[in-house]
Amino acid sequence: MTDCGYPREGIEAPKCTAGVRVLKLTIAYDGTRYHGWQAQAGTKHATIQNILQQALSKILHEPVNIVGSGRTDSGVHAQGQVAHVRMKNCMLPRILQRALDSLLPRDISVIRISRVGNNFHAQFSAQRKRYRYRLVGAARPSPFAQRYVHRVGRPLRVPAMRAAACHLIGTHDMAPFQVMGSPVKDTYRRITDVRVQQQEGEIWIDIEANGFLYKMVRRIVGTLIQVGVGKQTPRVIHEILSTGEAGLVGPTAPACGLSLLSVKY
Amino acid sequence: MTDCGYPREGIEAPKCTAGVRVLKLTIAYDGTRYHGWQAQAGTKHATIQNILQQALSKILHEPVNIVGSGRTDSGVHAQGQVAHVRMKNCMLPRILQRALDSLLPRDISVIRISRVGNNFHAQFSAQRKRYRYRLVGAARPSPFAQRYVHRVGRPLRVPAMRAAACHLIGTHDMAPFQVMGSPVKDTYRRITDVRVQQQEGEIWIDIEANGFLYKMVRRIVGTLIQVGVGKQTPRVIHEILSTGEAGLVGPTAPACGLSLLSVKY
């Protein structure tokens, strides 16, 4: 055993200095079999945060609290979730990453670990987040993408969806797009980029903003689907944002199509 | 109900002519939860052939025997398996495809159906087949590719694997690469293309031949892995082929990494 609790020989442990270090973790996961990111005390549901916390505590021999950039819902995936941990243990990031690699299940992967300043906070330091929603219209998704793509079951008019999506750019009160009864006070968000692309036989809707309300992406996508199937005109987004009329918002799109692509700091 | 047993209104059924028609189906599947292609009478194991046969019989109202280009093993995937059916029913291919779409599970997809001449036989008319094996060395595969990629767990020297793979091109007695005790008499196969590529953080080994023996691809890949980790030199393939020494063949690589890419006629 080295000072840093890592059992292999020949790996040089850095000299431990007093105090706490902060590490930034970039994490990818297939959310299919998890009850979302958020640790749930007192339940048996597996969550990403719980699994990471257990693995980290086991490796570092200290209780660890891993703080994510935000929650992802049950069944939602991530290609670039970001989290931080504060720890006393002075294990090198690459050693920690290797140890995590051997403990984590195959559907959760810590793809990068770096040391950051003590002021870094995965949630509060985040400047922008980018989500991608993958869907198909009437076509059948590839059997290899079935866990990551929502099938609408009807043909979609992509140009109309793209025209509707344009109205999202800018700073708006996004309250109509959050789930009713959410406790958030400030519901204004700045949407910096929206793209509706046709890729690999699918439609990808990318949305980047300085923050997201609860189920906001899935309710936006649900509304764009209504436009795509012709139940709404592309102006509906503008109407919702200018009148605050939540009744015009489409049904929340299923979790499986959604992935947190990246968080920018 | 139309003459062709399709219940929707407004879809014109072609005039049925006497005799049997042959349809060629191109099929993609995620083999993870199936016991291979081959129908197994008397067991409860789900196989791709069983599931397709049940769906086809239900739609066509006649017993159907679907004949594949060859078996794929338990856990092996396909992007372009080909099969044929002989049937009396005169349902249009696109109508049949739509009906199959609504009956098949999400991990099996019939991506194309076309009418072919009565002499067409999915197995015996096949000229060439192409398989892809996806693997990684020490790196962790993406959580989204975990079901389709084999992780060796040690760094791989790709140039050495590529040099070894070159020896496969040509017509050889591939008996050392088949599983012991296979009943096939003619074990000569002509390998027309072999590629070892680095793609998307993975290594893809593509092999095209006029036919494959039982577990041949996975035993070739197992041998190339031995070369990749430095346990064998790139000349090992040449030695196996020239001496017939099956003892030099590496362990059979796991099924999950293998996919039948295409069948050429």
Side-chain angles (χ1 to χ4, degrees):
Chain A
M1 280 293 203
T2 65
D3 286 341
C4 289
Y6 195 76
R8 294 213 200 162
E9 285 177 359
I11 293 167
E12 206 174 303
K15 289 273 182 291
C16 289
T17 50
V20 167
R21 297 156 73 235
V22 183
L23 295 187
K24 175 187 173 194
L25 289 78
T26 307
I27 306 146
Y29 47 84
D30 174 338
T32 309
R33 65 185 189 103
Y34 297 101
H35 284 255
W37 166 267
Q38 188 80 352
Q40 293 171 4
T43 74
K44 283 187 182 172
H45 294 323
T47 71
I48 319 285
Q49 194 183 23
N50 269 341
I51 296 214
L52 284 166
Q53 236 153 235
Q54 283 160 13
L56 285 164
S57 302
K58 197 167 177 179
I59 297 163
L60 301 171
H61 302 293
E62 63 181 79
V64 173
N65 185 30
I66 180 163
V67 179
S69 71
R71 303 176 186 191
T72 54
D73 283 339
S74 187
V76 171
H77 317 289
Q79 286 178 57
Q81 169 69 294
V82 175
H84 77 259
V85 285
R86 296 179 186 278
M87 59 188 215
K88 288 179 188 157
N89 192 307
C90 52
M91 186 179 282
L92 288 174
R94 66 182 166 83
I95 305 295
L96 177 60
Q97 189 170 353
R98 213 185 299 163
L100 277 170
D101 182 11
S102 67
L103 280 181
L104 289 174
R106 292 194 305 161
D107 50 7
I108 303 178
S109 187
V110 174
I111 50 182
R112 209 167 24 252
I113 303 183
S114 54
R115 193 170 171 185
V116 286
N118 280 9
N119 292 329
F120 180 85
H121 190 287
Q123 185 181 354
F124 302 134
S125 309
Q127 296 291 316
R128 286 201 299 276
K129 280 182 179 181
R130 192 174 185 93
Y131 279 95
R132 172 167 296 164
Y133 198 95
R134 292 168 63 182
L135 70 165
V136 289
R140 198 177 167 90
S142 153
F144 309 102
Q146 33 144 344
R147 294 150 71 99
Y148 315 117
V149 178
H150 166 51
R151 183 187 197 181
V152 174
R154 293 176 59 183
L156 294 171
R157 294 181 308 161
V158 176
M161 293 169 76
R162 201 172 279 140
C166 287
H167 294 289
L168 289 163
I169 298 281
T171 302
H172 311 282
D173 181 359
M174 299 301 291
F177 289 104
Q178 79 178 338
V179 167
M180 301 277 270
S182 300
V184 179
K185 278 183 188 160
D186 177 12
T187 51
Y188 277 80
R189 294 293 181 273
R190 185 162 55 87
I191 297 182
T192 48
D193 193 21
V194 180
R195 281 176 207 201
V196 181
Q197 309 164 69
Q198 284 177 290
Q199 290 283 347
E200 302 170 15
E202 302 170 8
I203 301 163
W204 292 357
I205 302 174
D206 286 13
I207 306 182
E208 188 176 272
N210 64 348
F212 289 86
L213 302 171
Y214 187 44
K215 298 204 174 162
M216 181 175 130
V217 182
R218 289 162 61 190
R219 282 169 64 81
I220 288 174
V221 171
T223 310
L224 293 178
I225 290 172
Q226 297 292 85
V227 174
V229 299
K231 283 194 183 167
Q232 293 283 2
T233 69
R235 271 192 67 80
V236 68
I237 299 277
H238 174 73
E239 280 172 52
I240 294 166
L241 292 174
S242 57
T243 64
E245 181 51 58
L248 293 171
V249 171
T252 306
C256 69
L258 187 59
S259 183
L260 173 55
L261 280 194
S262 60
V263 188
K264 291 181 187 162
Y265 291 92
Chain B
M1 277 288 202
T2 65
D3 286 342
C4 290
Y6 195 75
R8 295 212 199 160
E9 285 177 1
I11 293 169
E12 206 173 301
K15 288 271 183 290
C16 288
T17 51
V20 167
R21 298 158 71 236
V22 183
L23 295 188
K24 175 187 171 196
L25 290 78
T26 307
I27 307 147
Y29 46 84
D30 174 338
T32 309
R33 64 187 189 100
Y34 296 101
H35 284 256
W37 166 268
Q38 187 82 350
Q40 294 171 3
T43 73
K44 284 187 179 171
H45 293 321
T47 71
I48 318 288
Q49 195 186 21
N50 269 342
I51 297 217
L52 284 164
Q53 236 154 233
Q54 284 160 16
L56 284 165
S57 302
K58 198 167 177 179
I59 297 163
L60 300 172
H61 302 291
E62 64 182 75
V64 174
N65 184 31
I66 180 163
V67 179
S69 71
R71 304 177 183 189
T72 55
D73 284 339
S74 185
V76 171
H77 318 289
Q79 286 177 56
Q81 169 69 292
V82 174
H84 77 258
V85 285
R86 295 181 185 278
M87 58 188 219
K88 288 178 189 158
N89 192 308
C90 54
M91 186 179 285
L92 288 175
R94 65 183 167 82
I95 306 296
L96 178 59
Q97 189 170 356
R98 213 185 298 163
L100 278 170
D101 182 11
S102 68
L103 281 182
L104 290 175
R106 293 195 303 160
D107 48 9
I108 302 178
S109 186
V110 174
I111 51 182
R112 210 168 22 253
I113 302 184
S114 55
R115 192 169 172 188
V116 284
N118 280 8
N119 292 330
F120 181 85
H121 192 287
Q123 185 182 353
F124 302 133
S125 309
Q127 296 292 315
R128 283 201 301 277
K129 281 182 178 181
R130 193 177 184 90
Y131 279 96
R132 173 167 295 163
Y133 198 96
R134 292 169 62 181
L135 71 164
V136 290
R140 199 178 167 88
S142 151
F144 308 103
Q146 32 147 344
R147 293 149 72 99
Y148 314 117
V149 179
H150 166 51
R151 184 189 195 181
V152 174
R154 294 175 59 181
L156 293 171
R157 294 180 309 160
V158 176
M161 294 168 76
R162 199 172 281 138
C166 287
H167 295 289
L168 288 163
I169 298 281
T171 303
H172 312 280
D173 180 359
M174 299 302 289
F177 289 104
Q178 80 178 338
V179 167
M180 302 276 271
S182 299
V184 180
K185 277 184 192 162
D186 177 11
T187 51
Y188 276 78
R189 294 293 181 273
R190 186 163 53 88
I191 298 184
T192 46
D193 193 20
V194 180
R195 281 175 207 203
V196 181
Q197 311 164 68
Q198 285 178 288
Q199 289 284 348
E200 302 171 16
E202 301 170 8
I203 300 163
W204 291 358
I205 301 173
D206 286 13
I207 305 181
E208 190 175 271
N210 65 346
F212 290 86
L213 302 171
Y214 187 45
K215 297 209 173 156
M216 180 175 130
V217 182
R218 288 162 62 191
R219 282 169 64 82
I220 289 174
V221 171
T223 310
L224 293 177
I225 290 173
Q226 296 292 83
V227 173
V229 300
K231 281 192 185 168
Q232 292 283 4
T233 69
R235 272 192 67 80
V236 69
I237 299 277
H238 174 72
E239 281 172 50
I240 294 166
L241 293 174
S242 56
T243 65
E245 179 51 58
L248 292 171
V249 171
T252 306
C256 70
L258 186 60
S259 183
L260 172 55
L261 281 193
S262 61
V263 187
K264 291 179 189 164
Y265 291 92

